[in-house]
Amino acid sequence: MITFPPELVHLLRKAARAAVLTGAGISQESGLRTFRDAQAGLWVQYRPEELATPRAFASTPKLVWDWYAHRRRAARGAQPNAGHYALVEMEKKVPNFTLITQNVDGLHHLAGSKKILELHGNILNVRCSQCGTFADDWSEETEEVPRCKKCNGLLRPNVVWFEESLPREQLEAAVRAARNCQVFFSIGTSGVVQPAAALAHAARNEGAVVVEINADPTPLTPNVDFAFHGKSGEILPELVKTVWG
Ligand code: APR
């Protein structure tokens, strides 16, 4: 049983505006690997930074396609965990609640969260790398990377790769939510990838209380008001229960 500081409990009980940023750590208890965990199986020899780039797709499209097909299969096989569901409950209790995620696994949608900003896209969606048309179906097990029915361009996952810019509207909405909230949560993220990592600082600069829930300390830890180091699937449900019963 975790004892939460009374000042945090009180603050959350009366909070009207909250923003939450999640990273791969919140999906770890759903069995999905985090980014900076070692890769598994045949992917162990690669680092995400080597595969999740336009250059990698241009030079080895099939390798990049196969890595995402592998991760899509994993995401499809995963279920939200207690941490995802606790955020659904929190959204019901806080009048103005925004969930900003770096995750592309779709588990927040599956859990039932409503106001979600997917900063890095969604791995379950696939679009044409040339004309941008979204594919409604494609075969996963192919010798070649599937092609767009419209222009015959190579299909690619609808995720943001390194060196690519984030979807503008989602990022602008995330910055607004961070700047306007009274409480900002940073959950399951190493806080090393920009611009997502800057959101907590933006919130703090506007006077928000910042709470970190993460398995390990991060570069953000020295700048937060409350830090809980452990599993988000354990901490979040206990926090929601303590604050809102
Ligand atoms: N509960 C809470 N935190 C956890 C758990 C857990 N069960 N398991 C792992 N963590 C923490 C780790 O301590 C780590 O700090 O989750 C964090 C995951 O960090 P990363 O693997 O760096 O993932 P993330 O922060 O989401 O990466 C950000 O980088 O590679 C890009 O686009 C990619 O969205 C990704 C971005």
Side-chain angles (χ1 to χ4, degrees), residues 22-29 33-37 48-49 52 71 81 101-104 120 160-162 187-193 196 212-218 228 230-235:
T22 62
I26 198 168
S27 296
Q28 187 267 337
E29 290 156 271
R33 290 191 172 288
T34 65
F35 268 88
R36 280 137 196 104
D37 266 350
E49 288 80 353
R71 290 178 57 208
N81 63 60
T101 188
Q102 301 171 94
N103 297 341
V104 296
H120 294 169
V160 177
W161 281 333
F162 289 100
I187 303 172
T189 178
S190 57
V192 294
V193 172
E212 180 177 55
I213 297 173
N214 201 61
D216 307 300
T218 71
F228 302 97
K231 293 186 170 212
S232 48
E234 293 167 7
I235 297 167

Side-chain angles (χ1 to χ4, degrees), residues 112-210:
S113 289
K114 299 275 179 283
K115 194 171 169 194
I116 305 172
L117 297 172
E118 290 182 318
L119 293 186
H120 294 169
N122 188 315
I123 199 170
L124 302 177
N125 301 329
V126 165
R127 70 173 197 257
C128 175
S129 59
Q130 300 301 319
C131 69
T133 306
F134 278 77
D136 42 24
D137 65 1
W138 63 88
S139 79
E140 291 282 13
E141 303 300 334
T142 55
E143 282 309 304
E144 300 297 318
V145 175
R147 288 185 174 271
C148 171
K149 288 181 182 141
K150 234 171 116 185
C151 77
N152 205 40
L154 292 177
L155 295 184
R156 58 164 282 179
N158 184 43
V159 298
V160 177
W161 281 333
F162 289 100
E163 301 141 37
E164 289 187 326
S165 49
L166 276 66
R168 197 168 49 81
E169 306 76 52
Q170 308 267 1
L171 182 56
E172 284 172 357
V175 171
R176 274 198 307 276
R179 286 195 175 140
N180 294 323
C181 69
Q182 295 157 298
V183 192
F184 184 93
F185 285 86
S186 179
I187 303 172
T189 178
S190 57
V192 294
V193 172
Q194 296 300 349
L199 292 171
H201 299 285
R204 192 163 170 69
N205 292 343
E206 298 294 327
V209 166
V210 179

